[in-house]
Amino acid sequence: MPNLHLTDLSVKALKGSDKHATYWDTTTPGFGVRVGKRSKTWTVMRGRTRERISTGKYGDMSLADASRSEAAPCRPHKRSEASEQNR
């Protein structure tokens, strides 16, 4: 599976083919774009079962919106100092 730093320009430059290809973002774990013959779809891989969830289509949803909407739960959460003191 190819990895790519996803930017608006890099996603726009991806060419479709008869087979689907998924390009995973190098900066956001579990977030990528699936490129088919006619469309590009934002996708998120979640959980131990590696469930793939489509979040929207490129063009209808920007990269920023797609990464914020579904990929945010995939990012590691930083613990606040208050929660560390309560442990």
Side-chain angles (χ1 to χ4, degrees):
M1 289 192 231
N3 292 327
L4 179 68
H5 177 68
L6 294 180
T7 63
D8 286 322
L9 289 174
S10 66
V11 173
K12 185 177 183 178
L14 294 173
K15 302 292 182 196
S17 68
D18 289 337
K19 295 183 180 181
H20 285 91
T22 304
Y23 296 87
W24 298 104
D25 191 20
T26 56
T27 57
T28 306
F31 178 70
V33 63
R34 187 168 168 96
V35 180
K37 189 174 186 175
R38 294 183 189 98
S39 66
K40 299 172 186 172
T41 305
W42 302 115
T43 188
V44 175
M45 187 73 71
R46 283 201 171 160
R48 291 179 186 232
T49 60
R50 300 181 52 88
E51 176 186 15
R52 186 182 358 214
I53 301 168
S54 296
T55 61
K57 296 219 181 258
Y58 173 73
D60 296 340
M61 180 182 274
S62 71
L63 171 63
D65 292 340
S67 65
R68 268 186 254 137
S69 66
E70 290 292 331
C74 297
R75 294 188 187 124
H77 296 285
K78 292 183 181 177
R79 291 186 176 159
S80 66
E81 289 181 27
S83 67
E84 287 293 324
Q85 291 174 355
N86 292 337
R87 294 182 108 209

